[in-house]
Amino acid sequence: MKPLRIGIVVESTGLDVRPALVAAARMGAQGIQVDALRDLAPDGLGATGRREFRNLLRSFDLELAALNVPLRRGLDVAEDLQPRLERVRKSMQLAFDLGARRIVVACPKLPDDPATPRANLMRESLAALGTYGDRIGCVVALEVGYDPSEKVKAYLAGFDTGSLKVTYDPANFLLHGHDPLANLMPLAGLLAHVHARDARSAGLSRGLQEVPVGAGDTDWMAFTATLQVLEYDGFLVVEREQGEDKLNDVINGVTFLKRFALPV
């Protein structure tokens, strides 16, 4: 078994990209996930800029774990869908050029009725992106969690492409009422990217809330051991969406996960 590679989500630090790379290197992270926006927007980063960013990563001994593509509307929404798909395709090319070869895109809740217009739209969108990914060599790592993993596995099995895979976030599964450990194993062969994010009960009236990695209901020893059994070879990136001191939470998260990075 290989050691797990630990990374961070740049946006979770609250820093701009270059200071975030400095912070990542200092905390001992090995890679980053960053949004395909602003300085790293596909349309604004030409061949020279892409080469310079690769060199910048190398100078900090970091890799690009994945490129995240935030979308205001999902891949199951008809309004402005074609420009949205084109933006995703451009981000896929950018991810390939920067060495990540994987993008993260939010996966809507899977349709129960495959005959509805939303279901058809979502299937057409994913088929188009999967075909493009096969052609250029870039994976679309769908961030799941709304649905149990068996349903996700069965849904993705209906596509004739090898480029539609999964971004796994245990907090997503917790927040939607699913066991994050039990839902990991069924996705063997589909895991392209993993977020290290945690959640726990905040009381009967408030339900679950996101907390720093290691402070929630995820059994990280069992979770990381399962990743190693599955021979997962991607990154485990620390993410923090809430909190008053997210940078410190990310630093502590990297330190915490390093305890489990080596094979047992």
Side-chain angles (χ1 to χ4, degrees):
M1 297 182 188
K2 295 180 180 179
L4 292 174
R5 294 183 292 171
I6 309 300
I8 67 167
V9 173
V10 164
E11 288 70 28
S12 293
T13 67
L15 302 171
D16 291 335
V17 174
R18 186 178 286 269
L21 297 186
V22 174
R26 285 177 177 171
M27 68 181 80
Q30 296 164 281
I32 64 160
Q33 173 191 305
V34 65
D35 287 351
L37 295 173
R38 296 176 288 279
D39 291 343
L40 287 172
D43 287 336
L45 201 65
T48 300
R50 297 177 190 213
R51 183 171 60 252
E52 290 175 347
F53 188 71
R54 290 197 303 269
N55 290 337
L56 182 63
L57 286 171
R58 278 195 292 269
S59 71
F60 289 105
D61 198 21
L62 293 167
E63 295 181 45
L64 182 63
L67 200 61
N68 183 55
V69 188
L71 299 175
R72 292 185 179 180
R73 298 181 180 88
L75 298 174
D76 57 345
V77 177
E79 186 177 354
D80 296 325
L81 179 58
Q82 290 309 313
R84 200 153 62 251
L85 289 175
E86 183 58 23
R87 181 185 161 206
V88 175
R89 281 190 284 260
K90 289 180 178 179
S91 298
M92 293 169 71
Q93 183 63 61
L94 175 60
F96 179 86
D97 292 344
L98 296 180
R101 300 194 176 191
R102 59 176 57 83
I103 64 163
V104 178
V105 178
C107 182
K109 183 171 177 57
L110 299 180
D112 293 318
D113 183 353
T116 62
R118 181 180 86 87
N120 288 328
L121 203 62
M122 184 170 167
R123 176 165 288 279
E124 290 171 2
S125 298
L126 292 178
L129 294 178
T131 299
Y132 185 73
D134 288 346
R135 181 154 62 87
I136 71 166
C138 182
V139 164
V140 180
L142 299 166
E143 186 172 356
V144 297
Y146 286 112
D147 304 280
S149 59
E150 290 286 2
K151 185 175 181 179
V152 173
K153 180 181 179 180
Y155 181 76
L156 292 181
F159 292 89
D160 185 21
T161 172
S163 297
L164 294 179
K165 294 189 181 296
V166 164
T167 293
Y168 197 96
D169 183 328
N172 281 348
F173 281 84
L174 280 168
L175 293 167
H176 290 100
H178 308 302
D179 184 325
L181 188 57
N183 278 272
L184 184 58
M185 188 67 77
L187 293 173
L190 288 172
L191 293 175
H193 191 54
V194 180
H195 288 162
R197 200 164 66 98
D198 215 340
R200 73 178 177 203
S201 175
L204 294 176
S205 61
R206 296 175 60 192
L208 289 168
Q209 68 177 13
E210 187 203 49
V211 294
V213 171
D217 295 337
T218 303
D219 182 343
W220 288 101
M221 179 179 289
F223 187 86
T224 53
T226 302
L227 288 177
Q228 290 170 334
V229 167
L230 293 174
E231 298 184 343
Y232 172 67
D233 63 356
F235 276 85
L236 179 60
V237 295
V238 179
E239 182 178 24
R240 187 78 165 106
E241 293 183 355
Q242 303 172 9
E244 297 180 356
D245 190 359
K246 295 195 294 182
L247 175 57
N248 196 51
D249 289 343
V250 170
I251 293 171
N252 290 336
V254 170
T255 301
F256 175 79
L257 290 174
K258 281 183 178 180
R259 297 160 50 190
F260 312 115
L262 294 176
V264 177

